[in-house]
């Protein structure tokens, strides 16, 4: 087997093994949180491999035991957003271009998600042609917990889960197991953690990456989240976050919601789980919740991934001007935790759902940007094109 080193440096390593381009996120001390340097290094490497006849396929994974990727680098997002709306948009625009590049790559891309895989990490790996999760993976869209919205193509993916599960996941920042990931379309197969090394070695000589991956796959088993679908569909099909909350409270108190009562649910803990879901919503950013519901619902209306990325960029740009993004990220960094669910509630502004201005959110989603993800509609631009 031939091994050639393209680049090995922090924060990304790239090595060609046999006919496989092996691209690894390499910031294990920060659980491979994505920053601009990583995005640009990955983009440069993928561009080179796309036309390299010596590379037949790409493997994307992350270095370290803790996880594939904890999402966007919060500190960099906060610093760039503080510099102003236009500068803050660069981070998201370049991230979305990289995600689109992976989704549309001309060669097979195998992604391996292990351990913590959150937000932008799911977006990087979740649009690959073959998506692997290990039995130890933990996936989630935590954005509403830090005053933001699911992005990087997340709304497009969430809108295509069964029933209202995507709405539930997006609003409540729910963590997913490996079985959930496969059942809900976030991944294709589960490979046991102890066999990932074997899989990686086998892919170096594989003629068909997909067939090779499936040789290592194990049964997914039942999905805990999918088992809650009946009451999730009943409660989260409401048109507003306020109405969703009222349905959750009613259902938890024994009332019938959309023809369903808790004792008749397939989920034996339906009432308690609905009550917990309502309690969680009360802790999260009202602005982020209202915007997230609107964004996920918009992604159902025949959008392509590219359409979703453009809309998400417009909304992300607007959020760089909103206080909740700064408040939420600062709280998350200060607490040195990956979840706000057990922390004190940040000082969201506004603090009440009824005070959120939906008109501003809709306007932000629809306002064209001078610097979009896909300028001129001519495909993914080369690095440095259409710079801010």
């Amino acid at each position: 087997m031939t091994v050639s080193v393209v680049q090995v440096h922090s924060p990304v390593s790239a090595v060609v093994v046999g006919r496989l381009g092996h691209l690894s996120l390499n910031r294990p001390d920060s659980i491979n949180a994505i920053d601009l340097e990583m995005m640009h290094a990955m983009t440069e490497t993928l561009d080179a491999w796309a036309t390299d006849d010596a590379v037949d396929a790409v493997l994307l994974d992350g270095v370290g035991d803790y996880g594939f990727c904890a999402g966007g680098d919060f500190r960099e997002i906060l610093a760039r957003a503080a510099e102003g709306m236009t500068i803050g948009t660069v981070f998201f625009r370049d991230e979305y271009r990289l995600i689109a590049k992976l989704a549309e790559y001309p060669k097979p891309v195998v992604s391996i998600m292990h351990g913590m895989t959150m937000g932008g990490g799911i977006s990087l790996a979740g649009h690959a042609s073959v998506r692997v999760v290990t039995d130890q993976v933990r996936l989630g869209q935590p954005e509403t917990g830090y005053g933001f919205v699911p992005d990087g193509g997340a709304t497009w993916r969430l809108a295509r889960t069964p029933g209202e599960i995507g709405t539930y996941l997006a609003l409540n920042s729910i963590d997913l197991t490996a079985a959930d990931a496969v059942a809900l379309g976030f991944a294709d197969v589960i490979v046991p953690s102890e066999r990932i090394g074997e899989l990686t070695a086998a892919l170096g000589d594989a003629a068909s990456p997909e067939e090779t991956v499936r040789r290592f796959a194990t049964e997914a088993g039942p999905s805990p989240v999918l088992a809650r679908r009946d009451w999730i569909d009943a409660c989260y099909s409401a048109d507003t976050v306020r109405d969703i909350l009222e349905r959750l409270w009613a259902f938890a108190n024994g009332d019938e919601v959309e023809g369903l009562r808790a004792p008749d649910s397939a989920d034996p803990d339906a009432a308690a789980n609905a009550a917990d879901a309502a309690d969680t919503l009360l802790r999260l950013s009202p602005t982020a919740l209202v915007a997230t519901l609107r964004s996920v619902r918009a992604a159902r209306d025949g959008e392509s991934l590219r359409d979703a990325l453009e809309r998400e960029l417009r909304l992300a740009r607007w959020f760089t001007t909103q206080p909740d993004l700064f408040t939420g990220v600062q709280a998350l960094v200060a607490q040195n935790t990956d979840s706000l669910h057990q922390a004190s509630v940040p000082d969201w502004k506004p603090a009440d759902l009824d005070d959120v201005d939906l008109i501003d959110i809709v306007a932000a989603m629809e306002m064209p940007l001078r610097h979009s993800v896909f300028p001129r509609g001519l495909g993914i631009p080369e690095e440095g094109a259409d710079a801010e």
Side-chain angles (χ1 to χ4, degrees), residues 168 172 228 231 236 248 251-252 267-278:
Y168 169 62
N172 285 72
R228 306 174 197 166
W231 66 261
Y236 283 80
L248 288 169
F251 185 79
D267 176 7
D269 300 315
N273 286 334
D276 286 345

Side-chain angles (χ1 to χ4, degrees), residues 71-95:
D73 187 314
F74 295 132
R75 290 175 176 83
E76 181 163 14
I77 292 173
L78 193 63
R80 290 188 172 274
E83 295 176 37
M85 183 187 292
T86 300
I87 300 300
T89 308
V90 172
F91 182 99
F92 300 110
R93 183 203 63 187
D94 288 2
E95 179 188 5

Side-chain angles (χ1 to χ4, degrees), residues 18-39:
R19 301 192 65 80
L20 178 74
H22 189 171
L23 188 60
S24 298
L25 309 183
N26 191 24
R27 294 181 68 198
D29 290 345
S30 62
I31 318 180
N32 299 316
I34 311 163
D35 62 14
L36 273 172
E37 184 182 358
M38 295 172 77
M39 296 177 203

Side-chain angles (χ1 to χ4, degrees), residues 68-312:
F68 165 68
C69 178
D73 187 314
F74 295 132
R75 290 175 176 83
E76 181 163 14
I77 292 173
L78 193 63
R80 290 188 172 274
E83 295 176 37
M85 183 187 292
T86 300
I87 300 300
T89 308
V90 172
F91 182 99
F92 300 110
R93 183 203 63 187
D94 288 2
E95 179 188 5
Y96 300 176
R97 288 178 177 178
L98 173 59
I99 289 163
K101 188 179 293 292
L102 286 162
E104 301 174 0
Y105 205 62
K107 299 177 181 181
V109 178
V110 178
S111 63
I112 298 178
M113 295 173 270
H114 76 284
M116 184 183 292
T117 303
M118 297 285 162
I122 301 177
S123 293
L124 281 180
H127 298 292
S129 42
V130 184
R131 303 162 300 167
V132 177
V133 289
T134 73
D135 51 328
Q136 301 298 316
V137 78
R138 175 186 160 205
L139 300 99
Q141 299 283 167
E143 289 86 356
T144 55
Y146 58 86
F148 195 51
V149 286
D151 68 324
T155 59
W156 185 86
R157 181 179 58 250
L158 289 162
R160 282 152 184 78
T161 57
E164 294 292 338
I165 287 179
T167 307
Y168 169 62
L169 299 179
L171 293 179
N172 285 72
S173 300
I174 299 298
D175 289 344
L176 301 178
T177 66
D180 290 326
V182 172
L184 301 177
F186 286 70
D188 300 304
V189 298
I190 300 173
V191 173
S193 298
E194 62 270 18
R195 300 205 68 190
I196 291 297
E198 295 177 65
L199 171 61
T200 300
L203 285 169
D205 291 322
S208 172
E210 183 174 2
E211 291 180 7
T212 301
V213 166
R214 294 199 177 277
R215 291 206 310 268
F216 289 84
T218 189
E219 290 295 323
S223 160
V225 169
L226 196 57
R228 306 174 197 166
R229 179 179 170 180
D230 56 9
W231 66 261
I232 289 172
D233 284 357
C235 295
Y236 283 80
S237 58
D239 292 333
T240 69
V241 179
R242 174 63 68 192
D243 288 344
I244 290 171
L245 266 171
E246 290 178 356
R247 288 190 184 188
L248 288 169
W249 284 323
F251 185 79
N253 288 327
D255 295 341
E256 182 178 298
V257 175
E258 295 293 297
L260 181 71
R261 294 183 185 273
D264 301 321
S265 171
D267 176 7
D269 300 315
N273 286 334
D276 286 345
D279 288 344
T280 295
L281 291 177
L282 293 176
R283 302 175 64 85
L284 304 175
S285 162
T287 300
L289 291 174
V290 172
T292 293
L293 179 61
R294 189 79 181 195
S295 191
V296 172
R297 294 280 165 84
R300 293 176 173 176
D301 299 331
E303 278 194 337
S304 67
L305 175 59
R306 285 188 166 216
D307 293 333
L309 288 168
E310 292 287 14
R311 176 179 41 73
E312 289 168 351

